[in-house]
Amino acid sequence: MNDVTKDIWARWRGATRARIGLGRSGDALPTAPLLEFQAAHSRARDAVHGAVDFAALAAALTPHPSLAVHSQATDRATYLRRPDLGRRLDVASAEALPRGDYDVAFVIADGLSARAVDTHAAGVLKLCLEKLADWHIAPIVLAAQGRVALGDEIGERLNAAAVAVLIGERPGLSVADSLGIYLTWAPRSGRADSERNCISNIHDAGMSHAAASDLLVWLLREARRRKLSGIELKVDPAAALPTA
């Protein structure tokens, strides 16, 4: 193979999911990479506009109880245009949350990728529940049209010491089903993003369910021990995290 026909990008494609060295046909992309780009764009749009199967999630999490709530965003179009409404519960949902004395509340929210939630949320959460068998855990809250900050109000109304929100992350053109988790100690409305810890990129080519649950449980135990979360709660590289 001479230098004219040699694919100089071949060695790098195995190291990244980014689209590099796609080639060209005249002044345009070749047909194959163009079709793949269009397919990836369609997957991302479907993830954003899709609906989570919350009934299937509730069944998958049995026997742990769950309850459904809704944000003030009445539909998907409103949710996408008005992020502020996705951060607050509607009146009926706010009144339905049972106040208790919980160590942690888990919230599953659709966020910006229904596919991520359908694919990964139950698997990660079931592992966490097994590892926190000694904790008093609130009913799992299934939140439709929910943003991350919706967890603050939910945790506050449940009287939970901590809240962890499992939510679909904004899809990209390489991954459309990435799940994120946001942990807040002492949740209440108005918490800043700097007061949360984030675990991201949970998907088949990223962080595994086992690794994500191990990290979340470690963060929860440290948050309870130190009574804080966010930028003051760092993962210690020397910490003995379980390796699963």
Side-chain angles (χ1 to χ4, degrees), residues 58-81:
L61 294 167
T62 303
H64 198 90
S66 61
L67 53 90
V69 301
H70 205 289
S71 77
Q72 292 180 9
T74 54
D75 53 41
R76 197 62 177 170
T78 303
Y79 174 85
L80 295 173
R81 292 196 306 266

Side-chain angles (χ1 to χ4, degrees), residues 4-244:
V4 175
T5 58
K6 182 180 180 181
D7 183 359
I8 63 173
W9 295 100
R11 63 176 295 193
W12 304 110
R13 290 198 187 95
T16 178
R17 296 176 66 84
R19 289 172 170 79
I20 59 174
L22 300 180
R24 66 181 182 180
S25 178
D27 59 357
L29 286 173
T31 301
L34 175 61
L35 292 176
E36 169 52 31
F37 177 87
Q38 292 173 336
H41 187 260
S42 295
R43 287 191 292 268
R45 287 179 59 85
D46 288 347
V48 169
H49 293 282
V52 172
D53 189 344
F54 284 115
L57 269 178
L61 294 167
T62 303
H64 198 90
S66 61
L67 53 90
V69 301
H70 205 289
S71 77
Q72 292 180 9
T74 54
D75 53 41
R76 197 62 177 170
T78 303
Y79 174 85
L80 295 173
R81 292 196 306 266
R82 292 286 305 274
D84 58 314
L85 297 181
R87 300 183 183 114
R88 297 303 306 270
L89 290 167
D90 65 18
V91 173
S93 297
E95 294 176 349
L97 290 175
R99 190 171 180 83
D101 185 20
Y102 302 112
D103 293 318
V104 62
F106 289 104
V107 178
I108 300 179
D110 39 17
L112 292 171
S113 176
R115 181 179 169 189
V117 176
D118 284 338
T119 305
H120 303 295
V124 173
L125 187 48
K126 285 193 288 187
L127 291 173
C128 290
L129 294 174
E130 291 174 5
K131 297 164 186 174
L132 296 172
D134 57 330
W135 284 41
H136 188 201
I137 298 173
I140 297 165
V141 179
L142 307 176
Q145 312 300 353
R147 300 274 179 174
V148 171
L150 189 69
D152 296 333
E153 182 179 3
I154 291 172
E156 183 177 22
R157 289 185 176 276
L158 288 170
N159 192 36
V163 65
V165 180
L166 289 73
I167 190 167
E169 295 185 310
R170 185 186 305 275
L173 294 175
S174 58
V175 178
D177 64 339
S178 181
L179 186 77
I181 306 175
Y182 293 81
L183 164 66
T184 308
W185 177 259
R188 62 177 183 271
S189 296
R191 282 292 199 189
D193 288 340
S194 60
E195 296 175 291
R196 316 184 206 286
N197 291 88
C198 175
I199 304 170
S200 63
N201 292 309
I202 304 166
H203 55 85
D204 289 343
M207 182 177 285
S208 69
H209 293 183
S213 64
D214 285 342
L215 180 53
L216 178 56
V217 168
W218 186 88
L219 286 169
L220 279 167
R221 293 193 185 280
E222 284 297 297
R224 183 166 71 168
R225 182 177 70 85
R226 299 173 59 185
K227 311 299 182 188
L228 54 81
S229 60
I231 59 175
E232 295 183 332
L233 179 57
K234 304 290 187 182
V235 175
D236 183 356
L241 285 175
T243 54

